[in-house]
Amino acid sequence: MIRLIFWIAIVFAALWLWRKIKPSAPQQAPKGGDQTLLMVRCAHCGVHLPQDRALNRDQQWYCSPAHLQQGPAARDR
Ligand SMILES: [Zn+2]
């Protein structure tokens, strides 16, 4: 009889341990903005490109130095 209780205790301990380890499977990735690539729109030609490759001037984004010099497109207004 004691052996049966012993095995039941073992099973419960195993279940408890398994349940304790299990929640780590769906690891919650930190929702940081670092990995999401922010896309910006060239104010001159309207092409979309990653923000780290875009050029910024006067709160406008440009795809290339040429468009940076030409400024935002006049048709946009
Ligand atoms: Zn452009």
Side-chain angles (χ1 to χ4, degrees), residues 32-40 49-53:
D34 295 340
Q35 293 191 350
T36 55
L37 206 57
L38 187 61
M39 301 293 283
V40 294
L49 69 160
Q51 193 180 33
D52 59 347
R53 297 180 66 179

Side-chain angles (χ1 to χ4, degrees), residues 19-70:
R19 215 183 285 180
K20 204 177 177 186
I21 293 169
K22 192 184 172 188
S24 66
Q27 282 192 351
Q28 292 183 349
K31 287 186 177 180
D34 295 340
Q35 293 191 350
T36 55
L37 206 57
L38 187 61
M39 301 293 283
V40 294
R41 181 173 170 271
C42 176
H44 186 82
C45 64
V47 75
H48 286 80
L49 69 160
Q51 193 180 33
D52 59 347
R53 297 180 66 179
L55 302 165
N56 187 359
R57 194 184 70 181
D58 297 337
Q59 295 180 337
Q60 301 272 25
W61 293 96
Y62 300 94
C63 65
S64 61
H67 286 178
L68 178 73
Q69 289 179 357
Q70 294 172 35

